[in-house]
Amino acid sequence: MITREEITMLLDHPVYDGEGHKIGDAKHVFFDDMTGRPEWVSVKTGMFGSNESFIPIHDATLVEDHLEVPYRKDQVKGAPNVDIDAGGHLSASEEHRLYEYYGVNWDNVLSDDGMSGDGGMGTDTTTTDTTAAAGTAGVAGTASVAGTAGYEGTGRRSLRDDDDAMTLSEERMHVGVERRETGRARLRKYVVTEEVQQIVPVRHEEVRVEREPITDANRDAAYAGPEFTEAEHEVTLHEETPVVETEAVAVERVRLTTEEHVDDRTVRGQVRKERIETEGIDLDEDVRRRPGRE
C-alpha cells in the first residue's frame, strides 16, 4: 500500500501495469478524507495525455521510480469517466462505480478503511485537512485530490497544512512530429532508337574531254608515232560514299537524391487552465488600496 510519505515520489512518474506496459504518468493522488490514506491515482493516457483515468492504489506498489498497479493497461484506459466536484472530491457513487469496474469489493474497501459495511461513503463537507482522523464530523469522506506540484489547485486540498495559498495549474500542449512514408521514386534505364541526320560532303570523278591544238611546244610528241594507227585509252573513275559507324559514349551520370523542405502547419488543440474567482471582495476597492494607487 502507498503511504502519504511516498506521494511526492509518485507524482509525475510513470505508472506500469502488471505486465510491464507503461500506462501513463501519475498526475493526481486522491485521499480518503477520514483516514488520510491514498485511495486513487489519476493517470494521463491517450495521445498527448488527453484522457485522465482513475486507478485504485490500495494494492499498488512503488518500485524504484515508477508505480505498478495490478490492472491491465487496456483495462485502465477503458475505465469510466468520472466527475470531480468543486471541492476536489469523488462522490460516493462515482467511487462505487469505479470500484465495480475494477472488480474491487465495496464492502472490503469499507472494512479496510475501518468503517462498517453499511456506513456508506458520503461527501465530507466539514473537514479541510486531508490528514483528518476518524471521528471528524461527517461519515467517511470521499477521496480528495492532491495536485502534481504538492499544493492544491482550484478547489483541491494541499499536502502542506500550513499553506493557505492556491496554486493555479494549466495544461501545456506539446506537439511532436512523426516520420512516415509518402511515396517512392526510382530510376529505370531503357533503350530507344531514333533517326539522326547529318550532311557529309563526298567527292566523285567525271570524264572530261580536253582538246589542244598542235603547237611548237607539242609538235614533236604529236609526230612521234605512225601517221595512221588505231588506239584506245582508258580512265578509271572514283567516287566517295558515306560510311556509318556507331560507338557508345558516356554522356552523363544520373542518381536520385532527396532534399528536405520545411513547411509551417498550424496545429490546434484544447488545453485547460485554472482561473481564480473571488467572493466577498471588492476588487476595485482592493486595487485602490494598493501602494502607488490613488
Side-chain angles (χ1 to χ4, degrees), residues 23 40 45 52-56 70-82 92-106 109:
I23 301 174
W40 299 90
T45 59
E52 189 168 7
S53 302
F54 286 76
I55 311 174
Y71 305 103
R72 299 188 315 276
K73 178 179 180 179
D74 56 348
Q75 183 181 11
V76 173
K77 295 180 71 173
N81 295 324
V82 298
S93 60
E94 296 283 23
E95 195 170 21
H96 197 173
R97 184 159 65 103
L98 283 170
Y99 275 131
E100 286 184 346
Y101 173 78
Y102 284 103
V104 179
N105 189 290
W106 177 256
V109 173

Side-chain angles (χ1 to χ4, degrees), residues 1-227:
M1 179 179 295
I2 304 301
T3 64
R4 290 182 61 86
E5 291 73 18
E6 295 173 321
I7 296 304
T8 55
M9 296 184 293
L10 168 63
L11 297 176
D12 287 329
H13 281 70
V15 178
Y16 287 82
D17 65 8
E19 299 178 353
H21 301 132
K22 181 179 178 181
I23 301 174
D25 294 329
K27 291 303 178 183
H28 303 100
V29 174
F30 288 75
F31 301 88
D32 185 275
D33 285 336
M34 291 297 295
T35 65
R37 295 194 318 194
E39 295 289 341
W40 299 90
V41 61
S42 65
V43 178
K44 288 290 187 179
T45 59
M47 184 173 293
F48 304 119
S50 56
N51 297 324
E52 189 168 7
S53 302
F54 286 76
I55 311 174
I57 56 175
H58 186 272
D59 297 323
T61 305
L62 188 61
V63 180
E64 295 180 355
D65 61 343
H66 66 273
L67 181 71
E68 288 188 1
V69 295
Y71 305 103
R72 299 188 315 276
K73 178 179 180 179
D74 56 348
Q75 183 181 11
V76 173
K77 295 180 71 173
N81 295 324
V82 298
D83 295 325
I84 303 174
D85 62 23
H89 288 76
L90 287 172
S91 67
S93 60
E94 296 283 23
E95 195 170 21
H96 197 173
R97 184 159 65 103
L98 283 170
Y99 275 131
E100 286 184 346
Y101 173 78
Y102 284 103
V104 179
N105 189 290
W106 177 256
D107 293 334
N108 291 343
V109 173
L110 297 180
S111 177
D112 291 342
D113 288 338
M115 295 170 289
S116 62
D118 57 355
M121 294 290 285
T123 301
D124 176 12
T125 59
T126 60
T127 179
T128 59
D129 186 356
T130 56
T131 61
T136 306
V139 193
T142 55
S144 58
V145 63
T148 59
Y151 302 93
E152 59 179 341
T154 304
R156 298 174 187 164
R157 298 185 173 178
S158 172
L159 292 180
R160 290 173 46 179
D161 297 335
D162 58 346
D163 190 354
D164 59 356
M166 286 186 177
T167 297
L168 295 182
S169 302
E170 67 180 23
E171 294 177 337
R172 300 289 176 85
M173 185 172 70
H174 302 283
V175 180
V177 296
E178 64 175 358
R179 190 178 183 89
R180 61 185 180 86
E181 183 178 304
T182 58
R184 295 194 178 189
R186 65 169 57 91
L187 283 178
R188 183 171 61 89
K189 185 170 70 172
Y190 59 95
V191 178
V192 298
T193 301
E194 61 181 14
E195 295 289 337
V196 295
Q197 180 175 291
Q198 185 175 343
I199 297 177
V200 179
V202 294
R203 296 176 296 177
H204 68 279
E205 296 176 339
E206 295 180 354
V207 175
R208 187 180 63 180
V209 178
E210 294 183 355
R211 297 175 183 270
E212 58 181 21
I214 302 299
T215 61
D216 293 339
N218 60 14
R219 187 178 301 275
D220 292 337
Y223 286 101
E227 295 181 358

Side-chain angles (χ1 to χ4, degrees), residues 257-271:
T257 61
T258 61
E259 60 180 13
E260 290 188 351
H261 296 268
V262 178
D263 300 325
D264 293 330
R265 295 189 180 181
T266 301
V267 179
R268 293 181 173 84
Q270 294 183 342
V271 296

